[in-house]
Amino acid sequence: MNDTITCLAGLWVGHDTQVEAATGCTVVLTPEGATAAVDVRGAAPGTRETDLLRPENLVDQVHAILLTGGSAFGLAAADGVMRWLYERGYGFVTPWARVPIVPAAVLFDLNEGRADVWPDAAAGYRACQAAGDAPVPQGRVGAGTGATVAKLYGPAGAQPGGLGSAALPLPDGGWVAALVAVNAVGEIVDPATGRVVVAAVPPAGDVPPSAPAVGQNTTIGVVATDRALSKAQCLRVAQMAHDGLARAIRPSHTLYDGDTLFALSTGRGPAADPNLVGILAAEAVARAVLRAVGIGV
């Protein structure tokens, strides 16, 4: 059974992984369009095309969401996603051309692998070419390739992060799912037990710990449902979904993180209660965080 985000009909996921450089990107494709919103909680975000997702603004459908490494450099990968969609006739209709809408968020992985290589337009295009509806590969792939966690004593004691996905059923047969790239300052906690499953490692001997570094972290992700939600309801779901980060990452939403979650509604099914979708989205996010570090996959 596929219990990752690709269980939603009309939604595809693809990775581009650059192992040597310890970076990569992940695209969530919704070529026919999906209602979308975003909620940014961390204080060091790197994003693209997020203002248009405000409920009062015109455009309410996106055609892809890009999650990428490479810090701000990695935002260039969205150009490749736009080109892939444009070549296939997808996008916001104007009298002159269809313009694909591709919001994006980045995490900082320049301290892993190579700092002079980051996802570019070619990487974004390759991620689209690799996209499909098979269960999402998880761990240190795509946007999670260079991700690390548990950096409370500084980056020297960091533990591997990664990318995870989980899905939960709605009572009417629909789905709520999450996909997250976990690159957090905080430790990873199993919400079911309260046990720390990935702990920060203090420095050995008399070496003083360094402080967490500004901007060198961030958990980014997408929550989605196949039920119909408005743009404002998607925003509420994105806000509620952040509770999943708080349950599984301790601490979360710090000055050193740029935590950002997008919410998508493909509208393939009837209207849903946004409260129930948000509750399940938070649970799916928490499970996806654990899967990103190899717990419960």
Side-chain angles (χ1 to χ4, degrees), residues 36 65 118:
I65 300 290
W118 46 82

Side-chain angles (χ1 to χ4, degrees), residues 3 49 177 209 230 248 262 288:
D3 63 349
E49 294 276 46
S230 69
F262 297 93

Side-chain angles (χ1 to χ4, degrees), residues 26-45:
T26 297
V27 65
V28 179
L29 288 172
T30 59
E32 301 294 340
T35 305
V38 66
D39 188 51
V40 180
R41 294 288 177 93

Side-chain angles (χ1 to χ4, degrees), residues 189-232:
V189 178
D190 183 348
T193 64
R195 183 172 62 91
V196 176
V197 293
V198 181
V201 178
D206 297 327
V207 179
S210 60
V214 175
Q216 295 184 16
N217 312 286
T218 295
T219 297
I220 53 179
V222 178
V223 295
T225 183
D226 51 8
R227 292 319 189 225
L229 296 173
S230 69
K231 197 175 180 182

Side-chain angles (χ1 to χ4, degrees), residues 7-139:
C7 71
L8 276 68
L11 191 152
W12 309 330
V13 171
H15 299 309
D16 184 70
T17 301
Q18 300 178 52
V19 175
E20 180 186 353
T23 193
C25 63
T26 297
V27 65
V28 179
L29 288 172
T30 59
E32 301 294 340
T35 305
V38 66
D39 188 51
V40 180
R41 294 288 177 93
T47 57
R48 165 175 166 155
E49 294 276 46
T50 51
D51 279 353
L52 65 81
L53 297 180
R54 291 168 61 93
E56 71 270 22
N57 290 341
L58 173 67
V59 175
D60 66 354
Q61 296 268 303
V62 304
H63 305 96
I65 300 290
L66 177 74
L67 308 177
T68 181
S71 189
F73 298 110
L75 290 172
D79 294 339
V81 179
M82 288 190 69
R83 180 162 65 88
W84 188 93
L85 289 162
Y86 174 78
E87 290 173 354
R88 288 154 181 80
Y90 298 115
F92 180 78
V93 177
T94 78
W96 303 275
R98 286 182 176 265
V99 181
I101 306 300
V102 184
V106 303
L107 56 79
F108 189 99
D109 56 10
L110 301 182
N111 53 333
E112 297 286 309
R114 293 180 56 178
D116 61 344
V117 176
W118 46 82
D120 56 11
Y125 195 93
R126 289 194 300 268
C128 292
Q129 289 181 305
D133 60 1
V136 177
Q138 300 176 67

